[in-house]
Amino acid sequence: MPISTTTPRVLRATGLLAIAGLVATGCAKSKSDSAPKGAVKVAINLTDDGCKPSPASVPAGPVTFQVKNVSANKVTEAELLNGDTIMGEKENLTPGLSGTFSLRLNGGKYQVYCPNAKTEKTDFTVTGSSATPSQDPAVKAALTQATTGYQAYVIAEVDKLVPATKQFTDAVRAGDMDKAKAAFAQARYYYEEVEPVAESFGDLDPDIDARVDDVDDQSKWTGFHRLEKALWQDKSLTGMSPVADKLDADVAKLKTLVATTTYQPAQLANGATELLDEVASSKVTGEEDRYSHTDLSDFEANVSGAQKAFDLLKPALDKTDAALSTTVNTQFAAVLAALQPYKQGNGYVDYSTVGDDKRRVLTQKVDALAEPLSQVAAKVNG
């Protein structure tokens, strides 16, 4: 699937669910090696000069990329490209942080891409061809059910997103501030559940969900957060109708794209991990909904989307690693329980009223889930 590589993203966790053959795992805080068995390891050190892979050529099959930000202040991510397609990536790596992603690669010419480096792209070669991994028939059947189930889930949630967004944008076009504010969090909830899928479609996610610090040209800033700023900070919807119109069009485009998108088992697990990364990098910090302070709604949506992906994989994971399955399931329950004190009516309290000590507790719960969850993709890769 063609993915635009012309718009660097600023410290935003992303997922790449819609690319056939993708198996990405790991998070920056992971303490364990979740590489598939027998994977060749490739080191990528981020510097402001570039990000050369070592070795620069590997045989086809499972490959784990170990990415570390050695000294880069301008570079925070590394991506593996096949043409314009992002095959896998690790983001949000400030100096000293590291992370991994794993792929099952076929032979061919690739590039390692690190936006904003002096040399942004470096060639990477995969030789030979990759055989389909052998798998226990019962596990294979369970994983097939998981992927078809996830496809149906994504389609269903985007089907809810379209009218919920229109309810929000209709209020914006009508200049009804109160109604627009009331509809904002619910529309975003459906989007945040499946955000890693949207992120796989090039510039579609930035168009829908970019924050002010994600765009260089403010005149081209569109999407939910542009309207959020108008509502809560600018306190005026003047000139926002074109932004509302574009948001409707972008959400409609997402609906068209997900209708034909299929998934690999490890993609579900990676998407779940990316959703947890989203919580840690922007929801817990309060950066995501900085004007409306509806971050906890997004927080719950991210966790809900991650849990759905995991629940679909759980029957297979129960067979391949029952202990890990139990651990992840327990930690999901702990995260959701930690959110309960902040429930208010059909939503959540204003996140600006949640103190730093309470935010630290939420962070600890998310971290406790993210570490074992990052191991799941390797377990369902066959």
Side-chain angles (χ1 to χ4, degrees):
M1 176 179 300
I3 301 293
S4 169
T5 59
T6 60
T7 307
R9 286 145 291 183
V10 182
L11 293 180
R12 289 181 63 84
T14 65
L16 299 165
L17 293 176
I19 303 170
L22 170 63
V23 181
T25 67
C27 62
K29 299 179 181 179
S30 176
K31 300 177 181 178
S32 61
D33 184 356
S34 57
K37 184 178 180 180
V40 176
K41 295 180 181 179
V42 175
I44 301 176
N45 290 333
L46 302 183
T47 70
D48 286 332
D49 288 331
C51 50
K52 293 182 180 180
S54 179
S57 179
V58 300
V63 182
T64 293
F65 295 86
Q66 300 174 321
V67 187
K68 181 177 182 179
N69 188 330
V70 176
S71 60
N73 293 311
K74 298 178 181 178
V75 182
T76 60
E77 66 180 288
E79 302 174 355
L80 184 72
L81 304 180
N82 184 4
D84 290 332
T85 301
I86 303 173
M87 298 299 295
E89 66 182 337
K90 196 63 216 172
E91 292 191 308
N92 301 337
L93 300 179
T94 52
L97 290 184
S98 61
T100 67
F101 64 93
S102 295
L103 306 167
R104 183 171 291 276
L105 296 174
N106 293 321
K109 299 291 185 180
Y110 300 81
Q111 288 183 311
V112 174
Y113 173 53
C114 46
N116 301 319
K118 183 177 180 180
T119 300
E120 290 189 324
K121 295 181 180 180
T122 304
D123 291 341
F124 181 73
T125 303
V126 179
T127 60
S129 58
S130 179
T132 302
S134 60
Q135 204 164 52
D136 177 90
V139 173
K140 184 176 181 179
L143 292 176
T144 298
Q145 290 183 343
T147 56
T148 56
Y150 190 72
Q151 181 184 32
Y153 167 74
V154 172
I155 290 171
E157 295 314 292
V158 175
D159 280 347
K160 297 173 188 174
L161 171 66
V162 172
T165 300
K166 191 173 186 302
Q167 183 177 357
F168 170 61
T169 54
D170 279 349
V172 169
R173 283 184 285 265
D176 190 330
M177 300 275 289
D178 291 339
K179 189 173 181 179
K181 286 182 177 182
F184 176 76
Q186 185 59 70
R188 283 188 51 73
Y189 190 97
Y190 298 124
Y191 184 78
E192 291 289 333
E193 285 181 302
V194 298
E195 187 170 10
V197 179
E199 287 172 338
S200 72
F201 302 123
D203 288 336
L204 188 57
D205 173 67
D207 287 347
I208 292 173
D209 199 43
R211 294 169 294 175
V212 63
D213 44 355
D214 295 328
V215 293
D216 294 328
D217 186 348
Q218 299 299 303
S219 67
K220 297 181 180 179
W221 183 23
T222 61
F224 279 115
H225 293 303
R226 178 63 188 93
L227 296 173
E228 178 198 12
K229 180 177 182 291
L231 286 164
W232 276 274
Q233 180 167 295
D234 301 339
K235 302 184 187 305
S236 171
L237 292 174
T238 300
M240 288 297 104
S241 288
V243 179
D245 293 344
K246 187 176 189 312
L247 180 56
D248 284 335
D250 289 336
V251 168
K253 181 178 179 181
L254 178 62
K255 176 181 170 70
T256 299
L257 291 169
V258 301
T260 57
T261 299
T262 58
Y263 308 92
Q264 298 288 324
Q267 294 171 315
L268 274 64
N270 177 63
T273 298
E274 294 294 352
L275 284 167
L276 264 290
D277 286 347
E278 278 281 327
V279 174
S281 66
S282 62
K283 274 66 173 186
V284 171
T285 62
E287 295 175 29
E288 183 75 13
D289 298 314
R290 63 190 67 177
Y291 312 110
S292 63
H293 306 303
T294 55
D295 304 86
L296 290 175
S297 176
D298 286 358
F299 184 130
E300 184 192 82
N302 285 160
V303 175
S304 176
Q307 187 176 39
K308 180 63 177 183
F310 171 74
D311 285 346
L312 288 166
L313 292 170
K314 192 175 184 301
L317 188 63
D318 285 342
K319 299 177 186 299
T320 59
D321 194 330
L324 177 61
S325 181
T326 298
T327 297
V328 174
N329 199 52
T330 299
Q331 295 301 335
F332 263 117
V335 170
L336 291 172
L339 278 174
Q340 289 306 304
Y342 307 106
K343 279 279 192 179
Q344 186 177 74
N346 294 325
Y348 285 91
V349 300
D350 184 311
Y351 194 52
S352 66
T353 66
V354 179
D356 288 344
D357 55 336
K358 295 179 179 178
R359 294 188 185 195
R360 278 193 292 273
V361 172
L362 291 173
T363 299
Q364 291 166 357
K365 298 295 185 183
V366 171
D367 288 349
L369 168 59
E371 198 283 326
L373 185 62
S374 72
Q375 301 173 43
V376 173
K379 302 293 182 179
V380 299
N381 186 35

